Amino acid sequence: MSSNLDPNQGGDEKKKTYHKQATGLALKTVQAHSSESSLKLYGSCFCPFVHRVWISLEHKQLEYEYVEVDVYRKPKLLLDINPRGLVPALRHGDWGSYESTVLMEYLEDLGGNVALLSKDPKVRAHSRLWSDHINRHIIPVFYRYLQAQEAKDQASFAKDLTEQIATLVSAAEKSGPFFLGEEMTFVDVQIAPWVIRLEKVLKPYRGWPEPEPGSRWEKWVRAIEGNEAVKNTTSDDQLYLDSYERYAENRPNTSQVREAINSGRGLP
């Protein structure tokens, strides 16, 4: 096998693999945050969990350095923060941590120009509850649907995903456009990377439909897609098509997420 091929390609250079550099507006954002900073985000440009933290950093207008890593080759600088070698990982001075939701909470504690969590304890709890719904019930089904190879399984997971999104939408503030109203907050950032990937990954690979015109879901999707922090951390379409082909074909050596989904375990 050529050393230039990734394990998920199985020795076939015609198979697409994950990109190792952002493109489009996301690349411009990487370049704008390439200078040394005490706050560093270690990420991979295709990863939706990284995307969450990156959106948070941009939306909160915090000073940070973006460091692209090839997570499947697990560089030491990443392993020093997260022994499992997963992204996102954050280093702040001599301290480091990982897990996207934990890092989003940490950035809230740092402050910044914009708060994603309310000062009202009840609203904060409400946001955490529905973030948990996203992590437990929407994201795993997204991957099950994408990885399913049989038409009947795809139909079943498409129905499940539609129902789980509908449950989330039913909990959102009625007029929107975001989850709690006019401003983007914590729950919106939690779901945003998968909203982008419904369009850029599930639509081309599995025929995921456009939101129903005039629906609350359409209003929410368009608000997320139009947000500056989301746009500035999103690459061009081809990056997502190439990077997610391995999931759509359910290839071995794709990721720990794939292995967890196939074995019925929770996400890593």
Side-chain angles (χ1 to χ4, degrees):
M1 184 188 300
S2 170
S3 60
N4 293 325
L5 297 182
D6 294 315
N8 76 83
Q9 291 173 281
D12 185 351
E13 63 183 13
K14 294 179 182 178
K15 296 284 189 183
K16 302 292 186 183
T17 190
Y18 58 94
H19 284 219
K20 302 169 184 70
Q21 183 181 53
T23 60
L25 290 177
L27 178 57
K28 292 182 179 180
T29 302
V30 169
Q31 293 167 341
H33 291 274
S34 59
S35 299
E36 179 72 23
S37 175
S38 63
L39 181 61
K40 302 178 193 296
L41 172 62
Y42 294 99
S44 298
C45 56
F46 61 86
C47 176
F49 298 98
V50 170
H51 203 175
R52 280 177 165 171
V53 182
W54 202 6
I55 292 168
S56 297
L57 284 162
E58 282 292 304
H59 192 64
K60 294 173 71 61
Q61 300 170 32
L62 291 163
E63 183 180 330
Y64 70 95
E65 177 185 355
Y66 181 93
V67 182
E68 182 76 18
V69 295
D70 185 347
V71 70
Y72 297 107
R73 289 175 170 82
K74 302 190 186 307
K76 184 178 184 301
L77 56 81
L78 180 60
L79 291 169
D80 286 346
I81 303 171
N82 183 352
R84 299 172 66 198
L86 300 177
V87 289
L90 205 66
R91 183 170 286 287
H92 199 183
D94 59 1
W95 175 88
S97 192
Y98 48 96
E99 298 293 350
S100 62
T101 300
V102 171
L103 299 183
M104 283 180 61
E105 296 249 12
Y106 177 70
L107 296 178
E108 279 301 289
D109 291 338
L110 288 183
N113 292 341
V114 181
L116 290 171
L117 282 170
S118 170
K119 292 181 179 179
D120 184 333
K122 295 183 179 66
V123 178
R124 291 170 78 95
H126 182 66
S127 296
R128 289 183 173 118
L129 176 68
W130 288 101
S131 294
D132 186 68
H133 175 83
I134 293 166
N135 290 316
R136 287 177 185 266
H137 302 295
I138 292 179
I139 296 171
V141 179
F142 172 95
Y143 286 105
R144 289 185 192 113
Y145 183 19
L146 181 59
Q147 291 171 209
Q149 301 300 296
E150 300 295 331
K152 62 179 177 57
D153 294 331
Q154 292 175 9
S156 174
F157 292 135
K159 181 175 181 292
D160 194 4
L161 182 57
T162 301
E163 289 172 352
Q164 296 298 344
I165 289 173
T167 298
L168 177 66
V169 172
S170 71
E173 195 271 337
K174 299 307 177 190
S175 58
F178 292 103
F179 183 73
L180 292 179
E182 294 182 1
E183 303 296 328
M184 186 166 78
T185 58
F186 201 85
V187 173
D188 305 295
V189 179
Q190 286 269 298
I191 192 70
W194 285 271
V195 168
I196 296 300
R197 285 156 180 79
L198 289 173
E199 172 69 23
K200 297 183 183 296
V201 177
L202 273 191
K203 184 178 179 181
Y205 281 121
R206 294 292 179 263
W208 182 258
E210 289 285 331
E212 183 181 345
S215 66
R216 178 66 177 86
W217 175 234
E218 184 197 39
K219 195 174 187 180
W220 194 2
V221 166
R222 302 303 175 227
I224 287 172
E225 291 175 336
N227 178 268
E228 288 300 310
V230 175
K231 290 194 293 186
N232 289 336
T233 53
T234 299
S235 288
D236 294 337
D237 290 359
Q238 196 62 46
L239 179 143
Y240 301 101
L241 277 173
D242 291 350
S243 298
Y244 284 85
E245 182 186 86
R246 59 208 166 103
Y247 284 98
E249 296 177 354
N250 201 18
R251 282 187 226 149
N253 301 311
T254 285
S255 73
Q256 289 190 33
V257 169
R258 173 200 175 265
E259 302 304 326
I261 291 296
N262 283 348
S263 67
R265 302 194 309 271
L267 294 178

